[in-house]
Structure formats: structure tokens, C-alpha cells
Amino acid sequence: TTSVCNTPPSFHRSTMTKQKSFTKVVLKRRREDITKPKTYRPKDAAQKHQERAEQKVKQPRDLALRNDYHEFYRIMLKKQLKGLDRMDVPFYVNRDEKLAFVVLIQKRSKYLPGDLCKVLDTLRLYNRYDGVFVRLSEDTYPLLRLAEPMITWGYPDAEHIRTLILKHAFCVTRTTVTAKDTSQSVVVRREPLQNNQLIEDNLGDHDVICLEDIIDVMLSPDDDRFPHINAFLWPFKLNAPANKLPEERVHFVNGGSRGNREEFI
């Protein structure tokens, strides 16, 4: 047998008072809307003309601010480059480490200075959380220094290099396609490293025929085959962190994310 309860549910006193106050406010606003006559004043021609003039004045002002932003960073980068040319050793260089893993931690925008975009293109960092291997030398250290506000980098060990190549490595394949009008074009594709035949077809001239050969060469950056293999590997597409990176614009030494992390990469 089932018992039916005809009594209404009991509410807490605070919820009932809230409901009463809410209904009072709604009813009061409805009365005010009924009593007040609705007035609509269309914009006259003079007001429209004034708004258009203000908008025209505002657009060049935004453009001037953007140009000032570009000019500021252009002058700053020129000063840095002049300082690097004058000094023999502009900053601390770790002579023991020969290989670095660089990750782009900020999104590229159209407001970046042209010099910084060229540096990121040279490092092959196009999208956020792209990672590449870079051989450390006197030529690459200034590039890392200029791109430091947008990247983080460090010195990977053998275990991390092996894991990246075996699990996350993709390669660059180029094939020539002939059209009907006998014009040829090169098609660049991103393919996973699933078989050794693909490696042998592209890197067989450099005595590299399998994944283990690629790992051995990446562990020794002084090898002459390193630039060819590094160009053969597509930039690593890393996953975004579960939590947001702490203070992307602050250096890693000061508790942020950018800059050199050394072995903590």
C-alpha cells in the first residue's frame, strides 16, 4: 500500500522571504513601466554626423598606437643586436650542453615585431606548444635570447629524446605532382614514422635506415647528419598542460614559465 501526502512541502523561512521580496520588486517595476509613457527619440542627422566624425578620428588614433608599439620593439631589438655584436660573450653560455629542446608557450599574433617573427620562423615554431630540437652554438644562442619572451627551453636527456622520437615523431615528405599542363608542384605532407622504409627512402643517403639511427644522431648533435635529420622531423605537437602555465611572461627563475629551464625542461 502506498500513502499519498496532500500537505504541501515545507520551505525554509529564508527562501519564502526571498520569494516574497522578489515578487514585490517585479510587480513594482511592472507598475512603473505601465505608468511611464514610452518615448523614442530617433537620432537626428547632426548626431549621426558627429558619431561618424568621432569614429574617423578614433581609427587613425588606434593605427598610431599600433605603429608606436612596433617602433618601440623595433628600436629595442636593434639595441639588443648592437649589444650582441659588440660583446664577445654577451651572456652565459653553457659549453658542456650541445642540444636544446625549445617550446613555444605563447600564441603568435600579427602585432609581433618582424624580427621576432623571423627568429620564430628560423626555429620552425609556428603554433603554440610546438617543440623542436636546436643545436647550441654561437649562432643559435642569440636567436634563443631574442625569442626568450615567447619560448621556454632546456637540455633534454637521452630518455626524453628517445620517448619523443618513438611516440610523438612525425616526418616531412615531399612529392612532386605533375598537372595536366605539365607544370610540376611540390606537395609537403606530415606523416607518422611508422615504418623504417620511409626513413630509408628519405635518409638512406646519410646512412640512416631506422629509428635507432635517428636517436643516435640526435644524441650526438656534433654529427654532420644532425641538420638533415632535424629538418626531416616535423616540429613536435605537444599537448596543452592540464593547468595553465604559471606566469607565461615571467622568467622561470622568478617563478614563471619562459626562459631557460636547463635540465628541468
Side-chain angles (χ1 to χ4, degrees):
T1 59
T2 58
S3 60
V4 179
C5 183
N6 296 323
T7 58
S10 60
F11 292 97
H12 196 266
R13 185 176 295 176
S14 62
T15 58
M16 296 179 69
T17 53
K18 287 180 181 178
Q19 288 179 358
K20 288 181 181 179
S21 61
F22 177 75
T23 52
K24 286 181 180 179
V25 171
V26 172
L27 292 174
K28 185 178 179 182
R29 288 179 180 174
R30 285 179 182 174
R31 290 194 210 98
E32 289 178 355
D33 294 339
I34 293 171
T35 54
K36 289 183 180 179
K38 295 183 179 180
T39 58
Y40 175 73
R41 295 180 180 178
K43 295 181 180 179
D44 53 352
Q47 190 176 359
K48 289 182 180 179
H49 182 71
Q50 185 178 359
E51 290 180 357
R52 289 174 186 172
E54 291 177 356
Q55 191 175 5
K56 288 181 180 179
V57 172
K58 188 179 179 181
Q59 289 176 354
R61 191 186 306 158
D62 296 342
L63 186 61
L65 290 173
R66 191 185 306 173
N67 292 335
D68 293 342
Y69 177 83
H70 283 291
E71 189 65 25
F72 170 74
Y73 273 94
R74 197 177 295 114
I75 293 170
M76 186 179 68
L77 288 173
K78 282 183 180 180
K79 288 182 179 180
Q80 288 184 1
L81 289 173
K82 287 180 180 179
L84 294 177
D85 293 339
R86 291 173 189 168
M87 301 172 67
D88 297 333
V89 183
F91 46 87
Y92 173 72
V93 176
N94 193 346
R95 304 293 181 184
D96 298 333
E97 301 293 341
K98 300 294 183 181
L99 183 66
F101 188 70
V102 185
V103 182
L104 182 66
I105 60 173
Q106 290 193 27
K107 187 178 180 181
R108 294 181 60 170
S109 65
K110 60 182 180 180
Y111 301 109
L112 290 177
D115 297 336
L116 183 56
C117 291
K118 289 179 182 178
V119 171
L120 295 177
D121 291 340
T122 304
L123 296 173
R124 299 191 303 157
L125 297 173
Y126 305 106
N127 300 315
R128 197 176 187 183
Y129 301 122
D130 279 4
V132 292
F133 289 108
V134 177
R135 181 165 59 181
L136 296 177
S137 63
E138 294 181 357
D139 298 330
T140 55
Y141 265 110
L143 297 180
L144 296 176
R145 181 69 179 274
L146 291 175
E148 200 172 60
M150 299 191 66
I151 64 173
T152 182
W153 58 286
Y155 315 127
D157 55 3
E159 182 182 354
H160 289 106
I161 294 172
R162 180 179 292 274
T163 303
L164 278 171
I165 293 176
L166 291 178
K167 293 185 177 182
H168 305 285
F170 283 75
C171 66
V172 181
T173 58
R174 294 178 174 84
T175 55
T176 56
V177 179
T178 306
K180 295 181 179 179
D181 55 351
T182 66
S183 61
Q184 294 183 350
S185 60
V186 179
V187 179
V188 181
R189 294 179 181 175
R190 175 176 179 261
E191 296 185 8
L193 287 175
Q194 294 180 348
N195 53 0
N196 292 328
Q197 187 63 36
L198 183 64
I199 300 172
E200 187 176 359
D201 294 341
N202 291 275
L203 299 174
D205 299 336
H206 305 287
D207 296 333
V208 178
I209 59 174
C210 62
L211 277 172
E212 292 298 328
D213 293 341
I214 292 178
I215 296 171
D216 292 339
V217 175
M218 298 303 289
L219 290 173
S220 57
D222 294 333
D223 198 331
D224 296 335
R225 299 174 292 176
F226 180 85
H228 303 285
I229 294 177
N230 197 21
F232 174 68
L233 294 175
W234 194 281
F236 295 91
K237 302 286 185 182
L238 305 179
N239 295 328
N243 298 323
K244 189 178 179 181
L245 289 174
E247 298 293 338
E248 296 178 356
R249 299 182 183 274
V250 181
H251 200 279
F252 179 73
V253 177
N254 300 325
S257 300
R258 69 176 182 87
N260 186 5
R261 297 175 176 235
E262 297 184 355
E263 65 272 7
F264 297 105
I265 187 65

